[in-house]
Amino acid sequence: MEKVPFQKNDITELAIEDLGSDGEGIGKADGYTLFVKDAVIGDYIRAKIMKTRKNFGYAKLLEVLRPSPYRVRPRCEIAGACGGCQLQALRYDQQLLFKYKKVRSSLIRIGGFDEAFTDRVLQPVIGMEDPYRFRNKAQFPIGMKNGEPVAGFYAGRTHSIVPVSDCLIGAPENAAILQVILSYMKEFHVPAYDETTGQGLLRHVLIRRAVYTKQMMVCLIVNAERLPEEEILVQRLQAIPEMTSITLNTNTARTNVIMGKKLRVLRGKGTIRDVLHVYKVRETTAVALPAAALSFEPAGEEVSFDISPLSFYQVNPAQTEKLYSIALAYAGLTGKENVWDLYCGVGTISLFLARHAKRVYGIEVVPEAIRDAKANAERNHITNAEFTAGRVEDVLPEHARSMHTPVDVVVVDPPRKGLDETCIRTVLGAAPKRIVYVSCDPATLARDLKVFAEGGYKLEKVQPVDQFGHSVHVETVCLLSKLSEAKNHISVKVDMDEMDLTAAESKATYQEIQEWVQERFHVTHLNIAQVKRKHGIIERENYNKPKSEDSRQPGCPEEKEQAIEEALKHFQMII
């Protein structure tokens, strides 16, 4: 067995040659791969070894000995501590290139698509004009530091709050709102919620700002039915310009889920209104990466939306307009098509499509979002959009059976975990001419595209869009078209054991994952296998299968599943 060349606390120097999926620098010291948070590709650094594994280790950046030409000074003073903007020290054009490579790597490694084919269908990332002040939503956990209430963000992979006075990717109004709330807490001795004891009152503050209408929303997430001296806080918040909606959400559960189900309007309406504009999308000639190959011209069309605290709504409106306009262009609508919009939220994509389709059917699990979607359709005088509340995997099969007209186009915009197997099977059974897949996770996207390709669809175009500047996340919209039976469809096969992974994503053994998780929970190899399968990490054919067809395996409890997912992220096996 080859000896690991380093021990914990050793100091070494190395050149950073690549970036991992979480934005950490990757380099080799004495042939041993190290992952170094806050290091930038092209840096030459001094680092301290923090943890070693057989094939790779983790190190802490001590000093940049020779900075990369791509390194810039972060505008945010706490960018490193906060962990929300993992790439803020990387020049923006290189951030876009990193995201392009991330999508490309997932398509090849997980989707099994040929490199040359991937390079033909994958387009450069569409970036932002200004990657600051773009977020229309922020969720601030509330805690205590040195006896004082604080608001901020959790440090990476922890629930330790880093106090934030003004987040530079959020709305500038957020700082004034937080100051009002923290001052109120100090004045009236309102305790912050303590996760360890379940005691305390104020848990989170949710703020939304409508970019075009300027309307503001504050939702107080509270471990009770009401707050002390509630009316005083409401009056002070109401004095902030453009404040339109103040609500209180009750969440008394011992959980890390932010929102509870009970919502009470304290002042104004329970929603704010915003507008999204439709663009004509035209192809251009990109000179070189990361230059985008699309241009956007106003189409003279817009859709307005009412958004509640519980509604899903994209956080970057300017880029969302581009993303949804691309989805509309990919759908290829002529006014004669029946369209499914799965995971439709408050109807954003549905209403973009409806004016160009015969009929649109939207499905979403959140009842409040469906209520908003119906109201949004009525407000925009759209009568050919229908919305149903329920889990897509439950509603869609019945919907497919009851429809007496063919489905021409399916649009999906699922959560990070991707599409459920039942959903994919139902879509394939409906055999639409085109599938438009909007994704926030390249790994689960690639996994699902592989299944669609095996099911008789050709991947035509893949367009990443930077919705989340300075972070490692990227949104992607894809077009798949149905192959005729006379044509051979793409057959892809991926073997996780044989892949050469730059960032050592699949190098962690079951034992290593188990050891990492067991600081909090005891988990079995079966638990790990179940969570790996959920995220599209392919196991050997007979691994952890039941001994007989009628055997039943216990499911993995939610808290253990979350811990295993954290371990898989830690070992770069999922994003």
Side-chain angles (χ1 to χ4, degrees), residues 234-287:
V234 170
Q235 289 174 358
R236 292 174 182 177
L237 289 173
Q238 189 67 33
I240 295 173
E242 310 296 345
M243 186 60 66
T244 307
S245 173
I246 304 172
T247 57
L248 186 145
N249 178 264
T250 296
N251 183 2
T252 57
R254 295 286 295 272
T255 175
N256 58 7
V257 175
I258 293 176
M259 302 290 287
K261 294 182 179 179
K262 187 172 182 180
L263 191 70
R264 180 163 58 92
V265 177
L266 302 180
R267 190 63 54 87
K269 301 191 300 181
T271 61
I272 57 174
R273 181 168 298 178
D274 208 3
V275 174
L276 290 177
H277 302 89
V278 181
Y279 288 96
K280 296 177 182 177
V281 181
R282 304 193 185 280
E283 292 189 0
T284 63
T285 302
V287 178

Side-chain angles (χ1 to χ4, degrees), residues 421-438:
E421 180 182 350
T422 302
C423 176
I424 294 180
R425 188 166 59 244
T426 306
V427 171
L428 289 174
K433 297 173 185 175
R434 289 176 295 283
I435 300 170
V436 180
Y437 194 137
V438 181

Side-chain angles (χ1 to χ4, degrees), residues 185-225:
M185 292 179 69
K186 289 174 64 176
E187 181 178 349
F188 295 102
H189 307 288
V190 177
Y193 178 73
D194 186 337
E195 289 184 337
T196 59
T197 65
Q199 301 300 307
L201 287 178
L202 198 54
R203 300 175 67 131
H204 282 78
V205 174
L206 165 66
I207 305 174
R208 289 188 190 264
R209 177 181 180 270
V211 171
Y212 292 109
T213 66
K214 311 300 183 186
Q215 294 180 2
M216 298 290 303
M217 166 190 289
V218 173
C219 181
L220 307 161
I221 296 91
V222 180
N223 186 37
E225 295 289 333

